[in-house]
Amino acid sequence: MSHFKIRELWHLITFDNDLTDDKIVRLGEQGQIFYLQDSSEIYKKCSAHPGMKNYVRPLKNFVNDIRKLI
């Protein structure tokens, strides 16, 4: 992604059953962020995990995060 000067890639996930810890870490290390539903069990688990919390964000923050970039 750095070749194309892409800093982050955001994923809006509404169906997260196939999202594994390994996938979150591997893609997160490449600058990819996952927006998950606030009530999702996967979001709750990952947001409390020291290795994955930087790669997941609640879906309710999506609009505010866009506004911060503009």
Side-chain angles (χ1 to χ4, degrees):
M1 287 188 346
S2 63
H3 174 73
F4 297 106
K5 298 183 182 179
I6 297 173
R7 190 175 70 202
E8 291 179 341
L9 182 65
W10 293 0
H11 299 275
L12 305 174
I13 308 291
T14 55
F15 183 76
D16 58 10
N17 288 345
D18 65 340
L19 196 58
T20 64
D21 295 351
D22 183 52
K23 189 182 289 186
I24 291 172
V25 171
R26 194 169 16 97
L27 295 175
E29 289 173 344
Q30 297 174 8
Q32 299 185 37
I33 304 296
F34 296 90
Y35 283 88
L36 304 171
Q37 293 186 21
D38 307 27
S39 60
S40 165
E41 291 300 319
I42 293 178
Y43 169 71
K44 291 175 185 176
K45 178 184 75 165
C46 294
S47 64
H49 190 276
M52 291 185 280
K53 68 180 179 182
N54 295 328
Y55 311 132
V56 295
R57 296 179 185 165
L59 197 54
K60 69 179 180 184
N61 289 357
F62 180 70
V63 173
N64 288 333
D65 290 350
I66 289 175
R67 287 183 179 149
K68 289 177 187 175
L69 293 176
I70 298 177

